[in-house]
Amino acid sequence: MKDGLSHSLPHLLAFEAAARHGSFTRAAEELGVSQPAISQSVRKLEDRIGVALFTRNRKSIALTEAGRILGEDAERAFGRLGNTLRQLRQMGRPDHVTLSVSSAFAHYWMVPRLQSFHAAHPGIDLRMQQTDKDIDPGQEGVSLAVWRGQGDWKGCRSHLIAAEQVWPVASPGVPPSGGPV
């Protein structure tokens, strides 16, 4: 690899975990190595690039400005590699489709149509994940999702399937307040 990067990859991995956790000990736990191994890897990376990435105190570490810059890039790079690996792993297992939907969408739209879907597509093993929180589809193993929003989810392709209008509704017993709802 260019610039001896291949020799630095294990050190970059140790650095990224330490930067993300703010701790050599927690990075070591995540990577299944000792705390001194993380410290030594980070020191070797600092020696190789010629700049300090952390300030070290007896019981804590803190990123330097150079460490913050490298940490952001390393986290993005390893995150992208992780997403790619998950996608490739899914390519090797095309035995099911996981669809993430809100609880309301599942209840009111999907469930009434499941029987006809299975009849029309008996070879597709559809697994539905109901969640009302934002998730990372790549990290959750989700193939498809139906979400509310503007369609600008990072790392995802989106297609509008329906426009939505939301109206406030009150029972006849609620007196008008005279102001906006």
Side-chain angles (χ1 to χ4, degrees):
M1 281 184 158
K2 285 183 170 181
D3 300 326
L5 181 61
S6 62
H7 298 294
S8 299
L9 282 175
H11 306 311
L12 278 168
L13 185 62
F15 162 75
E16 188 276 334
R20 187 167 24 85
H21 289 293
S23 165
F24 288 166
T25 301
R26 288 198 305 259
E29 290 168 359
E30 176 183 311
L31 298 176
V33 297
S34 67
Q35 184 272 341
I38 296 293
S39 180
Q40 184 178 19
S41 280
V42 170
R43 180 69 68 199
K44 286 181 180 179
L45 180 62
E46 290 173 324
D47 290 345
R48 184 172 296 254
I49 62 177
V51 65
L53 300 171
F54 290 99
T55 57
R56 294 159 174 85
N57 298 319
R58 293 196 96 205
K59 295 190 181 227
S60 67
I61 59 170
L63 287 169
T64 62
E65 180 62 16
R68 185 193 60 75
I69 292 167
L70 182 60
E72 288 172 0
D73 280 351
E75 187 172 355
R76 267 193 304 273
F78 284 123
R80 284 191 62 179
L81 285 170
N83 286 339
T84 300
L85 289 171
R86 279 186 288 281
Q87 288 172 0
L88 292 174
R89 197 169 34 247
Q90 288 291 59
M91 287 172 58
R93 296 182 289 166
D95 58 343
H96 71 273
V97 174
T98 302
L99 176 65
S100 176
V101 296
S102 71
S103 300
F105 188 84
H107 179 75
Y108 293 109
W109 199 90
M110 283 298 301
V111 172
R113 292 167 174 81
L114 279 177
Q115 188 173 7
S116 61
F117 175 83
H118 287 304
H121 307 283
I124 297 177
D125 178 7
L126 179 65
R127 299 176 187 180
M128 199 166 25
Q129 176 196 64
Q130 295 180 44
T131 182
D132 292 313
K133 63 179 181 131
D134 292 337
I135 63 164
D136 178 344
Q139 209 154 23
E140 298 284 333
V142 171
S143 311
L144 302 167
V146 178
W147 292 337
R148 292 179 58 193
Q150 300 298 313
D152 55 355
W153 296 283
K154 187 177 179 180
C156 298
R157 289 189 319 240
S158 63
H159 302 279
L160 179 65
I161 59 171
E164 181 178 50
Q165 293 185 353
V166 179
W167 297 89
V169 177
S171 76
V174 175
S177 66
V181 176

